[in-house]
Amino acid sequence: MTYRSFLLRASAGFLLPFACAGLISASASASASASASASAVEARSVYRVLPPVRLWPGEPPGMRDWPGRSPVPVVESISADGRTVYNVTDPSYQAYLPDPALATGTAVIIAPGGGFRQLAIKHEGAEVAEWLARHGIAAFVLRYRLVQQGTEDVAPGDRIKTMSLDVTSAPSVMDGIQAVTSIRRRAAEYGIDSARIGAIGFSAGGHVVSMMALNPRVADRVNFVAPIYGAPFLTKMPDFPPANLPPPPGSPTEPWLAPPAVPAPGALPPIFLAMAQDDVAVGQGVRQFYDALFAAGYRPELHLYLRGGHGFGMTPRGSSSDHFLQEFFWWLEARGLTTRTPPAALTPTARKAR
């Protein structure tokens, strides 16, 4: 099943056993178990949640002729249980800032999934942000624009059926790229390092963050990226910039004798991928993304869980996929991104000198 066919079947109600299952609140016993296993440091830590910040000063760009726009005005809404957001027309982000005593200076933009027609704002958004903030990582939950669902639609998702994913996702990707620019501009205000801003995204949000990493404007890319059961769900896999410079003339061709690779200017940022092997919605696309990256010389970290299905996020499934966020954190740790940045390095003058 391709991701587009998954979206089309989701519009007819097929989404329920895959993504919507992840929207169900965890049971009280699971929550109690998770709380009991939290570390003492995490239990003592606090974080601040700031008011949302609009991404665009006026009407967001790219809306006038976008086929995902409803012919009648729509209003952003959230489900009664607070877990799902619909009809985002004024995109924004909300900051979750860690206790200054624990802050590392690293930041992660979070793009929830939902097939570009809704956002799983809790288990792929706020709950991820809370976990990261407790562990010293500043988190920013992104509400990107969605295909609008007006009352004139015969069934939810009808408008999606008329669009390619390239067109469907275009405003969402614009919002993701704008979020990077906005947060980087305000890095000193948030107490983060402008060179340590990454992104994690789920399903459709995984597409958004992938495109943030593939931004042709290298200076405006994220510094690392983690598509979780996500990838660039484009009509054609894009061409990637080379990961490394060509080896010096006369170098041995045998891999075990070749000199160490030298990263090429403009290479993509480090990439962390994770998905469950029983994910029939996006498994093919994620594997294609990994294979294309590997062929271009990149070595993304890849986690393939035995079980978990699609849309697990922070919802326990009784599988090793329950620990994807810890593994993401360990990956950041291995890259030196969980070590606290000295406060002096976060000043605008110090950043300019680097």
Side-chain angles (χ1 to χ4, degrees):
M1 182 190 297
T2 65
Y3 190 66
R4 175 169 172 73
S5 64
F6 170 67
L7 290 184
L8 296 181
R9 296 183 71 180
S11 301
F14 187 69
L15 188 64
L16 183 62
F18 294 101
C20 290
L23 301 180
I24 301 173
S25 299
S27 66
S29 60
S31 299
S33 176
S35 300
S37 62
S39 66
V41 171
E42 181 179 353
R44 290 196 304 268
S45 67
V46 295
Y47 55 88
R48 291 185 297 138
V49 182
L50 304 188
V53 175
R54 297 180 66 220
L55 287 176
W56 307 98
E59 181 180 9
M63 293 298 293
R64 181 169 300 178
D65 299 319
W66 182 51
R69 185 174 188 171
S70 172
V72 298
V74 297
V75 178
E76 180 176 322
S77 61
I78 189 167
S79 61
D81 61 5
R83 302 188 71 82
T84 312
V85 170
Y86 306 92
N87 283 329
V88 175
T89 59
D90 189 11
S92 63
Y93 66 81
Q94 188 163 26
Y96 290 67
L97 302 183
D99 182 341
L102 297 176
T104 62
T106 297
V108 174
I109 300 169
I110 303 166
F116 300 108
R117 53 184 286 268
Q118 61 192 36
L119 296 179
I121 203 67
K122 292 293 285 186
H123 84 293
E124 293 177 352
E127 292 173 1
V128 179
E130 291 164 359
W131 192 97
L132 291 172
R134 292 190 193 103
H135 289 77
I137 307 292
F140 300 83
V141 178
L142 177 64
R143 292 195 182 201
Y144 55 84
R145 280 172 285 173
L146 303 171
V147 173
Q148 298 174 11
Q149 305 296 328
T151 56
E152 83 291 349
D153 289 321
V154 176
D158 278 359
R159 192 164 285 110
I160 289 180
K161 299 177 184 178
T162 66
M163 297 183 288
S164 69
L165 278 172
D166 307 52
V167 174
T168 300
S169 65
S172 309
V173 173
M174 286 185 200
D175 296 341
I177 292 172
Q178 179 68 6
V180 179
T181 301
S182 176
I183 292 167
R184 189 166 276 147
R185 186 187 305 124
R186 301 176 67 174
E189 176 184 342
Y190 294 131
I192 60 176
D193 187 334
S194 62
R196 294 170 68 164
I197 299 174
I200 186 170
F202 303 82
S203 193
H207 169 86
V208 172
V209 301
S210 296
M211 300 309 292
M212 290 157 66
L214 291 168
N215 188 350
R217 292 177 59 89
V218 176
D220 293 335
R221 290 176 183 164
V222 286
N223 301 110
F224 56 89
V225 69
I228 309 300
Y229 42 87
F233 298 121
L234 300 171
T235 304
K236 178 182 178 296
M237 188 66 67
D239 295 326
F240 304 132
N244 303 304
L245 294 173
S251 297
T253 57
E254 297 88 344
W256 55 89
L257 296 177
V262 178
L268 299 178
I271 300 171
F272 176 100
L273 299 169
M275 60 165 282
Q277 295 181 79
D278 59 353
D279 186 339
V280 299
V282 302
Q284 181 179 359
V286 174
R287 291 184 180 91
Q288 289 174 346
F289 185 37
Y290 175 84
D291 290 343
L293 288 167
F294 196 93
Y298 295 95
R299 297 298 178 263
E301 176 133 341
L302 175 64
H303 292 256
L304 293 174
Y305 304 115
L306 179 62
R307 300 185 313 277
H310 187 72
F312 50 79
M314 297 295 283
T315 303
R317 296 284 178 90
S319 166
S320 51
S321 63
D322 293 352
H323 306 287
F324 82 93
L325 198 52
Q326 288 95 327
E327 290 174 328
F328 172 62
F329 184 84
W330 295 335
W331 179 74
L332 294 178
E333 183 180 59
R335 305 198 68 85
L337 294 171
T338 61
T339 301
R340 187 175 185 184
T341 303
L346 300 179
T347 64
T349 302
R351 287 199 304 272
K352 185 176 180 181
R354 281 195 287 177

